[in-house]
Amino acid sequence: MTIRFGFYGRVSTEDNQDPEASRAWQLHRARALIDSRGGEIVAEFFDVDKSRSIPWQLRPHAAALIEELKDPQRGFDAVVIGEPQRAFYGNQYSLTFPLSEHFGVPLWVPEVGGPIDPVNEAHDMIMGVFGGLSKGERNRIKIRVRAAMAAITATEGRFLGGRPPYGYTLQDAGPHPNPSKAADGRRLRRLVADPVTSRVVRWIYSEFLKGRGYLDIAEELTLQGILSPSASDPGRNKHRDQAAWSKYAVRVILTNPRYTGHQVWNRQRKDEVLLDVENVALGTTTKQRWNTKDQWIWSEHPVHDAIVSVEEYQRVQEFLSKRANGQFSHRPHPTRRPYAFRGVLFCGYCERRMQGNWNNRQAYYRCRFPAQYAITNDLDHPKVVYLREAEILDEVDGWLATAFGPNTLEHTIAAMAEHAIDPNEAALIGLRKRLSKCDRKLLQYRSALDAGGDPIEISSWINETKSERARLEGELKAVPTAQRITIVEIRSMIEEVGDLVRLVADADPDDKAELYTQLGLKLTYYPEKQYVEARVEPEPPHVRSVCVRGGTRTNCTWLHADHAVPAGAGVGCPDLSGHGPK
């Protein structure tokens, strides 16, 4: 009789492990254990780029395996693990195995030669030892790596990887000193001052020392048409606003010690903190935090082009320190202030999330884009945009109750089905744009090669871009064929949404924010037109949105998929208008 197995494995890419090779040898170990017993692996759960310290519930594929254990109709009879030290860390085995035992799904591991016996003390002890060894191995690796990087930084000043700071480019610095890595073609790289952006960095330091502030400098750079750091490298800064220079980008440049020509390491660290201090069993997560300056590791001598002198850098830091130690105080709020639309209200000018602001004992939302980013020539953004929560709260709840109420539910479903858009279309458009960008890069690199550029460096750029293009082509082929959503699917989704709508109507203000988020609500405030546009984008993401737009009581509610449509297609008249910018 064939025993059906679900396989679980894990690999972390922090130490440059090959996910495919790791999966292959873990599968090999698992099959070597079960093949002689008539076992067959019918399902795979393999986590990539997930640290072993992450609890199973927070690893995507491990969490999926746990959910499968709960399903009586699961497609496997047992679970096999090829390498326990990669699967379990610390006490994770003792927190996970009881689930396997409860649902009657045996857990097989090579170290005990078959299924783990829950009443066998030796099995329990062995698995506990492997969890401890896994934790100890990770800690030893961490200590060795940190010690090696500190030594390399101090004595050699070697470039340790990552993106080069704004103002620098990377240049080949010869073969890697590690013979095995050199044999694989790995080479060292060093920072070289970029002839254009390095001048911008010098100008920023000079102007700041003359007394100009962050925002003043950012506005000047934007008006001159100089690309911001995120716009200079958009492929690696998709999460950043690329329209203009940010005052925070100016501050980052002014506080980066590598502009002095020295290599500096250990400015940040990774700490493991408890997910829940009331429930230690949930495990830890990794948080990145800043170290104090006395913990930074500096190279003994300058190792790359200096853009500013050490003295100039120190003067800037002293000036910043005096600012930070100014006579400013912040009185903490006596109570936590709830914002019902936290994270779901956006500014119609810049499309950024609006921030909560408590004023006159009321919740307001504001957008201060010009205070954080320099105003671009093509973005006419008021200094501050305000919206009072009370002006739209009842209207939003009323619209939700009306649109998803029993009297209008069928109309809502019909409107959503009529205007439903393929959910994969946005993904396809994005992938095609990125493929076109890769093609443009390849043309630029080949032109640079023809113009006499460094063939080794340009070849590495070409190979990286080709690899990226091949990956994108694979993703493009994997996008499912467009399928229009059916009335039945919409009705099923609306039933879940309707439950949340009823909860929102009766919820306390403190709970509304979470419910709005679960509902998929998105509000966009257009001050110049005096209205707020509301969208509901619930799961599953087949239906793109349900939108309401209004300016006066004579306007109607429109239900549509993705864009505004003429008035008259609606079912109600909520007034979601607010105040203009102040």
Side-chain angles (χ1 to χ4, degrees):
M1 178 180 175
T2 301
I3 305 176
R4 300 172 302 170
F5 281 88
F7 162 76
Y8 178 72
R10 184 204 63 81
V11 63
S12 172
T13 58
E14 286 186 350
D15 49 355
N16 299 318
Q17 298 178 61
D18 179 8
E20 284 302 317
S22 181
R23 172 182 168 275
W25 72 257
Q26 290 183 57
L27 268 172
H28 178 77
R29 287 200 76 203
R31 290 196 174 109
L33 173 65
I34 65 175
D35 281 350
S36 60
R37 316 284 184 90
E40 177 187 4
I41 294 176
V42 297
E44 291 187 20
F45 303 87
F46 193 75
D47 280 307
V48 178
D49 201 19
K50 298 297 177 185
S51 170
R52 68 185 79 184
S53 66
I54 298 176
W56 274 49
Q57 291 81 356
L58 298 183
R59 303 181 199 169
H61 292 280
L65 174 57
I66 292 176
E67 290 302 314
E68 286 291 318
L69 293 178
K70 301 175 184 178
D71 185 3
Q73 303 301 320
R74 73 186 77 86
F76 51 86
D77 309 306
V79 174
V80 61
I81 292 176
E83 176 55 59
Q85 284 181 255
R86 290 185 178 271
F88 300 115
Y89 173 87
N91 65 342
Q92 289 175 358
Y93 165 75
S94 63
L95 298 173
T96 307
F97 182 69
L99 294 174
S100 175
E101 185 180 4
H102 175 78
F103 293 109
V105 182
L107 178 63
W108 291 49
V109 294
E111 282 65 21
V112 300
I116 296 174
D117 186 352
V119 298
N120 190 318
E121 293 182 1
H123 285 191
D124 189 68
M125 182 178 67
I126 288 172
M127 295 306 296
V129 167
F130 276 114
L133 289 174
S134 177
K135 185 174 183 178
E137 178 188 7
R138 183 171 181 269
N139 289 336
R140 285 194 300 274
I141 291 173
K142 185 190 301 184
I143 292 171
R144 287 199 299 266
V145 168
R146 291 183 61 82
M149 293 185 75
I152 290 172
T153 300
T155 59
E156 301 180 27
R158 188 190 305 173
F159 178 72
L160 300 175
R163 72 181 68 189
Y166 178 81
Y168 285 109
T169 58
L170 292 175
Q171 185 183 75
D172 183 78
H176 200 283
N178 186 314
S180 62
K181 292 183 178 180
D184 291 337
R186 298 278 296 276
R187 302 182 67 82
L188 294 179
R189 295 189 294 177
R190 65 186 298 267
L191 296 174
V192 177
D194 181 82
V196 176
T197 55
S198 63
R199 294 175 59 191
V200 177
V201 174
R202 291 191 189 97
W203 183 86
I204 289 173
Y205 271 80
S206 173
E207 295 301 304
F208 184 78
L209 289 173
K210 291 177 182 177
R212 300 183 70 171
Y214 299 148
L215 189 58
D216 188 17
I217 293 174
E219 288 180 343
E220 179 69 22
L221 291 169
T222 302
L223 290 173
Q224 291 180 13
I226 297 173
L227 292 179
S228 66
S230 56
S232 299
D233 191 5
R236 301 180 68 174
N237 294 279
K238 298 173 184 177
H239 59 298
R240 300 290 186 189
D241 191 298
Q242 300 172 11
W245 276 80
S246 162
K247 66 179 183 181
Y248 301 112
V250 175
R251 187 183 186 282
V252 167
I253 290 173
L254 291 170
T255 55
N256 192 339
R258 289 203 284 177
Y259 290 119
T260 63
H262 289 262
Q263 181 62 273
V264 182
W265 177 76
N266 202 37
R267 297 178 66 199
Q268 291 181 304
R269 70 181 187 277
K270 291 182 178 179
D271 289 344
E272 291 184 359
V273 298
L274 291 171
L275 287 169
D276 186 350
V277 294
E278 303 295 336
N279 187 0
V280 180
L282 289 179
T284 62
T285 186
T286 302
K287 297 287 187 181
Q288 196 156 345
R289 292 171 174 167
W290 291 98
N291 286 324
T292 58
K293 291 183 179 181
D294 60 323
Q295 295 176 295
W296 296 0
I297 307 296
W298 287 65
S299 61
E300 296 175 357
H301 307 286
V303 293
H304 54 254
D305 296 344
I307 296 179
V308 298
S309 66
V310 175
E311 293 75 15
E312 193 173 7
Y313 171 79
Q314 293 293 354
R315 286 173 56 200
V316 168
Q317 306 318 302
E318 291 173 4
F319 191 76
L320 291 173
S321 178
K322 290 178 181 178
R323 274 190 175 185
N325 295 329
Q327 300 300 316
F328 301 103
S329 62
H330 176 70
R331 180 172 57 86
H333 302 310
T335 58
R336 187 178 65 84
R337 293 167 174 174
Y339 295 95
F341 299 119
R342 182 180 66 245
V344 302
L345 181 61
F346 293 77
C347 172
Y349 283 111
C350 61
E351 300 181 355
R352 297 171 75 240
R353 281 188 174 87
M354 297 182 69
Q355 301 171 336
N357 180 50
W358 203 261
N359 193 11
N360 294 326
R361 299 183 181 181
Q362 295 187 73
Y364 282 79
Y365 298 87
R366 67 181 181 183
C367 178
R368 301 175 64 242
F369 182 91
Q372 297 172 342
Y373 289 86
I375 303 176
T376 58
N377 296 330
D378 57 348
L379 184 61
D380 184 16
H381 197 294
K383 186 175 181 180
V384 181
V385 173
Y386 269 108
L387 178 63
R388 188 161 61 95
E389 181 182 284
E391 295 187 19
I392 63 171
L393 184 60
D394 292 340
E395 301 290 354
V396 169
D397 288 346
W399 167 67
L400 290 172
T402 301
F404 298 98
N407 297 330
T408 57
L409 186 59
E410 292 303 320
H411 181 87
T412 300
I413 293 174
M416 294 174 73
E418 180 182 356
H419 297 283
I421 291 178
D422 172 26
N424 300 317
E425 187 63 27
L428 289 168
I429 293 173
L431 288 171
R432 292 186 185 118
K433 285 182 178 179
R434 291 162 68 184
L435 280 169
S436 298
K437 185 175 180 181
C438 287
D439 292 336
R440 290 195 300 271
K441 281 186 176 181
L442 289 172
L443 289 174
Q444 293 172 356
Y445 295 157
R446 286 169 183 144
S447 298
L449 196 60
D450 294 339
D454 184 353
I456 296 177
E457 185 172 9
I458 295 176
S459 296
S460 68
W461 297 346
I462 292 175
N463 292 334
E464 288 177 4
T465 306
K466 283 183 175 179
S467 299
E468 174 70 8
R469 197 184 192 287
R471 185 183 66 80
L472 292 173
E473 285 182 335
E475 291 184 14
L476 190 64
K477 293 177 182 178
V479 175
T481 305
Q483 292 183 348
R484 193 174 182 85
I485 189 170
T486 65
I487 292 288
V488 175
E489 291 174 315
I490 293 179
R491 192 182 304 280
S492 175
M493 179 194 66
I494 289 296
E495 288 176 358
E496 298 180 6
V497 171
D499 293 337
L500 280 176
V501 168
R502 286 188 288 275
L503 288 172
V504 167
D506 300 328
D508 294 330
D510 288 0
D511 299 326
K512 282 184 180 288
E514 182 178 354
L515 290 171
Y516 285 142
T517 302
Q518 293 180 23
L519 186 61
L521 180 68
K522 179 180 178 181
L523 305 175
T524 305
Y525 176 40
Y526 298 94
E528 74 283 6
K529 298 178 182 178
Q530 293 288 287
Y531 67 75
V532 172
E533 181 184 75
R535 293 178 181 271
V536 172
E537 300 177 356
E539 294 291 344
H542 296 84
V543 178
R544 301 302 296 172
S545 63
V546 178
C547 179
V548 57
R549 176 187 287 184
T552 66
R553 292 268 177 193
T554 59
N555 284 343
C556 293
T557 303
W558 298 294
L559 303 177
H560 59 85
D562 235 4
H563 56 277
V565 297
V571 295
C573 324
D575 179 9
L576 300 186
S577 59
H579 290 301
K582 295 182 179 180

